[in-house]
Amino acid sequence: MSIPETKKAWQDGVVAKNVAKSPERTPEFRTSSNIEMERCFTPEFDYPGYDEQLGFPGLYPFTRGVQPTMYRGRFWTMRQYAGFGTARESNERYKYLLQAGQTGLSVAFDLPTQMGFDSDAAMAAGEVGKVGVAIDSLADMETLFDGIPLDKVSTSMTINSTAAILLCMYIAVAEKQGVSADKISGTIQNDILKEYMARGTYIYPPKESMRIITDIFGYCKDHVPKWNTISISGYHIREAGSSAVQEVAFTLADGIAYVEAAIKAGLNVDEFAPRLAFFFNAHNNLLEEVAKFRAARRIWARIMKERFGAKDPKSQMLRFHTQTAGCTLTAQQPDNNIMRVTIQALAAVLGGTQSLHTNSRDEALALPTEDSVRIALRTQQVIAYESGVADSIDPLAGSFLVESLTDQVEKAAQEYIDKIDKLGGAVEAISRGFQQKEIQDSAYAYQKSIESSDMVIVGVNKFAVQEPPPTGLLRVKEEVEIAQKKSLAAVKSGRDVTAVQAALNTLETAARGDDNLMPHILNAVKSYATLGEIADVFREVFGKHHETVVL
């Protein structure tokens, strides 16, 4: 068919059905001059490769978006990543954000929780509640979501090594609310490979960590079907210093490793792939970022269709959450960060993100205040309701610059993926330090460009001013750790110790065998076994990973 014929078929078929399911937005899309905004702009003439490279939104290869109507149907999910101190303090922040118009929750956990330590562990000293909320047991999770109906909100949890434990706690809280596991929706990050190369909150060796991940895939397929079982993260790869191309390449290479592991574990690709999700960074170079998102969708669609034989279109879609770039925020002239975040958020929206977190202006200095969080959320809302960029599907499609950048990002990222394949895949390449070395070299070059002023950072190496010390910052008080330890002690003294030990023994037996671990973790969680106790079982059985040294 010609381009016009294909467009009409697309509009009359897929889009018409989708619109009927998306009543959220007004059917009138006009500019301030009363000019009607077309649903989708396409060339008025045929040219070779259009369908193969671009196609239409909602159709393979999804260059132009994974949904046929994108934001004309409904806006992206507006999340604000939050969590600090105790579960009660974080619960209050979540309720504040929901009242302010946030449409999904995003939970930050403190470092002990991420690393599988209870708040009373020696390794947790000084870190309890500092960079996220402390969760020691099901009791904390109950408090965290007190008064928040889990059948009404979607929750994203940024957690990796202990993701299975936190997900089981979430399932148990939902059940206590009378909400069955098949009714809850959300995402766990659950991406351990990027921890080995870019972030460091790993616990167990790669092989054993991959077993836990594939057990989550298998369990959720049958019991928690609305849950996104992994958010394959390029965000932290970029925060560690990678380029945009490396972010795409290393993230998708990790995705390949997870798909291969799941297939090897006996899962059919079309059973689990529709619940895979991705997590990307958004930086200041607006057009490169838009191209990055488009290229990532196209590469992943072809990987899933051609490499893994996925037949379900949902298995071929790259759905992603975006967070604006924390590493671009400056302590100097922090109000400048509002403009940086706006540009980055706009790039994510123009690139077709499914959900978005906007960082707050003061995050280079401390945890964000409520005022700063509200400005960050309002940034998304102004883009959604006032800018007009959400009124037409894929508004930058057809830009010579954007399409050229998309092709170049795709080519360079594919070359990296091919190199990783030749090294034996992502896990083997990480064990050799390949990705780590590439990220380190990129970070070094970036820092040199700032120090030489080849790259201008406004307010840092150009347009700097003398500033008074910042005031009014949010600090987590030392009393939080004392209170959390006291709360944990109360849980331990009030539980059935015999039931806890029996649940942990059963979990250990499963870990030494080949049972799916999730039912046993859930049983331990419901007995009020702590996160640290469950993680210690796995440490005993699986051992601990030691970092690869990159020279």
Side-chain angles (χ1 to χ4, degrees), residues 466-471:
Q466 290 294 322
E467 299 175 271
T471 59

Side-chain angles (χ1 to χ4, degrees), residues 29 48 59 78 92 94 103 107 126 129 138 181 184 199 207 240 263 290 324 340 371 382 398 454 465 531 546:
F29 296 96
L59 298 178
M78 299 180 193
E92 291 169 0
Y94 295 155
T103 54
V107 184
L138 179 58
I184 61 175
R199 191 161 175 268
K207 179 182 176 182
I263 291 172
V290 172
T324 57
R340 293 186 178 102
D371 284 347
V382 168
D454 289 340
V465 296
L531 176 135
H546 299 284

